[in-house]
Every structure is written in C-alpha cells, then in structure tokens.
Amino acid sequence: MSYDPPRPAGRLLLTPEDKEAPARTRRLRGLGLGERPEPALDAFAGHLAALTGSPYAMVNFLDENGQFFAGLHAPAVGLVVKEDGTRPDLGRSLPRDHGFCPHVVVRRRALALEDVRDYPRFAGNPVVDEYGIHSYLGAPLIDTTGMVLGTVCVADVAPRPWGMTGLEAIKASAAELVASLEAGGLPLL
C-alpha cells in the first residue's frame, strides 16, 4: 500500500514516500497521540512561537492518513488575504502533500528553509499559496525506539534567517518534548 499518489514518469516527487507510516500510526495510537488536540501541546506550540518569534508553531503527528496538529499556535486572524478577500483558516489537519513536515519525518533531520520560494522542490507546496508560508523551521520527534513520531515546527509568512541558533532551539525543543511524552505525560510549561 502506498501513501503517496502515483507520479507521472519524469516528474519530481514532491512529497517523499513514508514507509514507516503504518508502524508510526500504531506507535502514536499506543501513546494516545495524534487524534485530538492537546491543550498542553498547544501551550508547547505557543512556547515555540515565543521562543522563535514566529506567528505559527505546531506539534505535528503524521500517520497513514495525513498530518495532525495536536499542538497548534496560530494568529487569531490569518495573516494572508486571498484574492477573494477571505483569510485561510489553519485547521488541525493537512494532507501529506501540504507543508514541509513530511520531509523532516522521512529524512529524520531538522530542516531550515529561510525562504521556501528559493527551493524549486518546496516553492510549489500548497501551504505557500494557501497560507502564505515563506519560511519554515522543523525538527523530528524521534523516540527511544528510533521511531519518528512527527515534528515540532515553526513557520512565518516572511523570509527568515533561522541560523544555527534557530536550528539548535528547534532540535532542543524536539528532544525535550519526546522525553516528556515518553515519560508518560504531556509537557508542563
């Protein structure tokens, strides 16, 4: 069973295939994660947003069906106005082909994109057009079994130089959250 749509011959695969999705889904369900919003993870996302000065921050769990933001910090009003005058509402879930977290999960490494439009692989991602996301910083949540459960990430509608300070902060936040989750609880801030 494939978790990515088939691609036409010669076309760049934008979202990497996630072969660990079935095992990850079982692990997340065993931990009781990834199916509902968690106020403690919302608070953790708020902490990430404050730490990095970002308008958006998420604790994102990926399973066989897509992405779920169990922790979410977003502006009360969307920052981008579409051509029809509406503002997109960032919900709790996204398909696998939206955003950058699926890349972090499959590559098992942090990812810093100062301006996603500079990277042909990422510039055409639906979150760029739909939500106006222009910069991204994310790190994988890798538990002691070696399973990547998801990501912690921040995003902005403007290009941002995340630098080593940003990378170190997001990786430390990911390690802190995994330790808390594996200790049997959600983080207390």
Side-chain angles (χ1 to χ4, degrees):
M1 176 183 256
S2 175
Y3 302 106
D4 293 301
R7 62 183 170 145
R11 186 170 163 215
L12 178 65
L13 177 63
L14 296 179
T15 303
E17 184 178 0
D18 184 357
K19 294 179 181 178
E20 292 184 346
R24 179 179 312 103
T25 300
R26 289 189 300 276
R27 178 78 171 128
L28 287 170
R29 298 311 173 258
L31 293 169
L33 297 170
E35 295 184 293
R36 66 185 175 284
E38 299 286 353
L41 294 179
D42 284 343
F44 191 86
H47 168 73
L48 283 175
L51 179 69
T52 60
S54 302
Y56 297 98
M58 287 78 69
V59 176
N60 186 11
F61 297 117
L62 289 83
D63 65 15
E64 293 172 286
N65 301 313
Q67 306 176 65
F68 182 75
F69 303 130
L72 175 63
H73 173 86
V77 176
L79 300 176
V80 173
V81 178
K82 297 196 242 181
E83 288 181 14
D84 64 4
T86 63
R87 295 178 188 268
D89 178 35
L90 179 64
R92 292 277 180 169
S93 61
L94 282 177
R96 271 192 35 75
D97 64 346
H98 285 53
F100 314 104
C101 291
H103 297 271
V104 171
V105 167
V106 171
R107 62 187 250 142
R108 306 175 67 85
R109 291 188 357 229
L111 176 63
L113 300 170
E114 294 182 357
D115 189 339
V116 298
R117 298 166 298 179
D118 290 342
Y119 302 88
R121 177 179 200 125
F122 299 118
N125 197 288
V127 299
V128 176
D129 294 331
E130 179 82 17
Y131 302 103
I133 299 300
H134 288 170
S135 59
Y136 170 90
L137 178 65
L141 296 168
I142 303 174
D143 70 10
T144 54
T145 72
M147 176 68 61
V148 180
L149 302 174
T151 67
V152 293
C153 65
V154 294
D156 202 337
V157 296
R160 295 194 52 161
W162 300 108
M164 286 306 296
T165 303
L167 262 171
E168 289 171 8
I170 201 76
K171 291 191 310 189
S173 295
E176 174 188 330
L177 181 56
V178 168
S180 182
L181 294 172
E182 287 195 313
L186 295 173
L188 297 174
L189 296 175

